[in-house]
Amino acid sequence: MRLVIKVGTSTITSKDGLLNREYIFNLAQRLSELQDDNHEIIIVSSGAVGVGRAKLGMCSNPKTTREKQAFAAVGQPLVMNAYSDAFIKYGKTVAQILLTREVFDKRAEYINARNTLNVLIQNKVIPIINENDTVSISEINFGDNDTLAALVAATIDADKLIIFTDVDGFYRGNPATSELIPKIDKITEDIESYATSGSSSGKGTGGMKTKITAAKIAASSGVETVITNGSKLNLLKDIVSDCQAGTVIKAEKQCLQAKKSWIAFSKKSKGTIFVDNKAADILLNKGKSLLPAGIVKISGTFHRGDTVNIANAETKKDFARGLTNYDSSVVEKIKGKKTIDIKKIIDTEEDEIIHRDNLVLL
């Protein structure tokens, strides 16, 4: 199997915020055993900001982007050195991959990142991936490594996404007072209502809400997700053997093709096109392209090739995403117009605002 393992800050650090090297060595041993059994291993690891903060003796989480970037600059080499030392003990080679949201937003960079990861995996190298916090800014960051891990899993066609947390899986509310859900066939609104935002440990940026969001991305891309207790490393062999361990979120049977997965999740939306009920029905049920006639209004500033959301003007709910053929200024001019009238307004050979080949239903 091709496995993406997401390791959070609270999992690889001790109470003092410094690296838990004993845990990292144990993790390296278990993952090395899996690789020896011909499984392919990719790690998405948090920890740079928290470890950097502890190393500098800071007590509180960073309050500004500059502080976060400075802490990450200190912590990142410490995290990477710990992984490298641990895997070397078991005869394994690791590679550091630092990604920003821009890599996923631009098609050429996205494909290049995918190709690089595939070459590393084929050569038995274990990629250690993290967001490049030292250069990311709020407008282009992922916000949490759960999302990054899901995007990586979708990008490289992983079989399983394993998300480590500090509880045994996903619960129907507070883990102390509610029951664990062993299997989720589909993430519904009820399931999402059980998730809470915020990190339970106070060290990371995520929570169950980000993990369920990550699982939705993975499931739509044909990747199964397992949310499990990161301290119980013996469960890794159970997970690859499809034995019960934590909470399993099943992959959707009709998953998105690679390009449409990229449109749906990897590219950041630059605006929204609101359509009438007739256009919404045509897009949802008849597999057609988006034409100007059904557009009621737009929001945001976008350009040709950008990703935009498509929403029902009446309900205001997004139901699709796609790559636009026109700038927002042009869409504003031709919205609501019949196809026959468009050429009187602009010089174009394209009738569609978004072609169905570049449109994804959410």
Side-chain angles (χ1 to χ4, degrees):
M1 289 183 182
R2 179 168 287 191
L3 309 171
V4 174
I5 298 96
K6 187 270 176 175
V7 185
T9 301
S10 63
T11 304
I12 64 166
T13 59
S14 304
K15 290 181 179 179
D16 57 8
L18 295 173
L19 283 168
N20 184 341
R21 290 183 176 273
E22 181 182 358
Y23 176 85
I24 293 173
F25 271 84
N26 289 336
L27 175 64
Q29 179 185 4
R30 299 286 184 170
L31 295 181
S32 296
E33 290 170 355
L34 290 180
Q35 192 189 63
D36 290 340
D37 288 337
N38 293 319
H39 298 293
E40 297 172 335
I41 307 298
I42 303 93
I43 299 172
V44 176
S45 178
S46 304
V49 175
V51 170
R53 182 192 72 181
K55 182 68 175 178
L56 293 172
M58 303 295 183
C59 297
S60 59
N61 286 322
K63 296 180 176 63
T64 66
T65 299
R66 289 179 181 179
E67 282 185 337
K68 179 182 178 183
Q69 291 173 334
F71 294 173
V74 173
Q76 188 60 46
L78 298 175
V79 172
M80 196 60 211
N81 286 341
Y83 277 116
S84 182
D85 290 345
F87 278 102
I88 283 174
K89 181 179 178 181
Y90 301 102
K92 306 300 179 184
T93 302
V94 299
Q96 177 176 249
I97 306 288
L98 296 175
L99 298 175
T100 64
R101 184 86 206 202
E102 284 184 306
V103 171
F104 289 87
D105 203 46
K106 297 176 180 177
R107 183 70 175 166
E109 292 186 23
Y110 168 83
I111 292 173
N112 186 53
R114 182 176 68 188
N115 291 341
T116 299
L117 286 168
N118 280 326
V119 170
L120 290 170
I121 294 165
Q122 288 162 12
N123 285 279
K124 302 287 187 182
V125 176
I126 298 174
I128 312 287
I129 301 172
N130 189 15
E131 181 172 4
N132 195 350
D133 290 309
T134 58
V135 300
S136 290
I137 57 176
S138 59
E139 289 79 7
I140 60 170
N141 70 357
F142 297 98
D144 64 272
N145 275 340
D146 294 326
T147 298
L148 173 57
L151 291 175
V152 168
T155 300
I156 61 171
D157 300 319
D159 295 294
K160 290 183 188 287
L161 166 62
I162 303 170
I163 301 180
F164 283 163
T165 184
D166 49 11
V167 292
D168 288 340
F170 185 75
Y171 290 77
R172 297 182 188 276
N174 188 326
T177 58
S178 60
E179 62 177 339
L180 182 138
I181 304 174
K183 187 175 77 166
I184 299 172
D185 291 316
K186 186 174 179 61
I187 298 174
T188 62
E189 289 185 2
D190 282 344
I191 293 294
E192 290 182 295
S193 71
Y194 299 137
T196 56
S197 59
S199 167
S200 59
S201 67
K203 295 180 181 179
T205 58
M208 278 300 165
K209 188 172 183 179
T210 64
K211 290 167 179 55
I212 287 297
T213 299
K216 285 178 70 175
I217 294 171
S220 295
S221 305
V223 182
E224 181 177 281
T225 299
V226 180
I227 300 174
T228 192
N229 195 323
S231 67
K232 299 178 179 180
L233 293 174
N234 58 302
L235 294 177
L236 282 169
K237 285 199 172 181
D238 291 336
I239 291 170
V240 298
S241 300
D242 290 326
C243 297
Q244 185 58 48
T247 299
V248 176
I249 298 100
K250 303 299 288 184
E252 293 183 10
K253 293 179 180 178
Q254 292 184 322
C255 60
L256 296 174
Q257 298 173 338
K259 182 183 178 183
K260 292 207 171 185
S261 177
W262 173 69
I263 294 170
F265 304 115
S266 298
K267 270 182 73 65
K268 205 163 188 176
S269 175
K270 299 298 178 63
T272 302
I273 294 176
F274 295 90
V275 300
D276 58 29
N277 287 328
K278 181 180 179 181
D281 178 64
I282 289 173
L283 294 175
L284 285 167
N285 301 311
K286 299 181 180 178
K288 300 293 185 180
S289 302
L290 175 62
L291 301 177
I295 298 175
V296 176
K297 64 177 181 178
I298 64 170
S299 68
T301 301
F302 48 85
H303 301 285
R304 178 184 173 88
D306 282 343
T307 298
V308 294
N309 291 334
I310 304 172
N312 187 304
E314 188 174 306
T315 65
K316 304 295 189 293
K317 293 188 74 171
D318 297 341
F319 65 87
R321 296 183 104 206
L323 305 181
T324 175
N325 286 328
Y326 293 101
D327 294 356
S328 52
S329 58
V330 177
V331 178
E332 188 65 48
K333 291 179 183 178
I334 62 177
K335 70 177 190 292
K337 304 293 184 184
K338 294 181 179 180
T339 303
I340 196 171
D341 297 324
I342 294 176
K343 291 181 176 62
K344 299 176 184 176
I345 302 171
I346 58 171
D347 182 18
T348 181
E349 297 297 324
E350 294 172 317
D351 297 332
E352 308 93 351
I353 301 297
I354 300 175
H355 193 277
R356 63 184 180 185
D357 290 345
N358 294 324
L359 188 145
V360 183
L361 300 177
L362 300 178

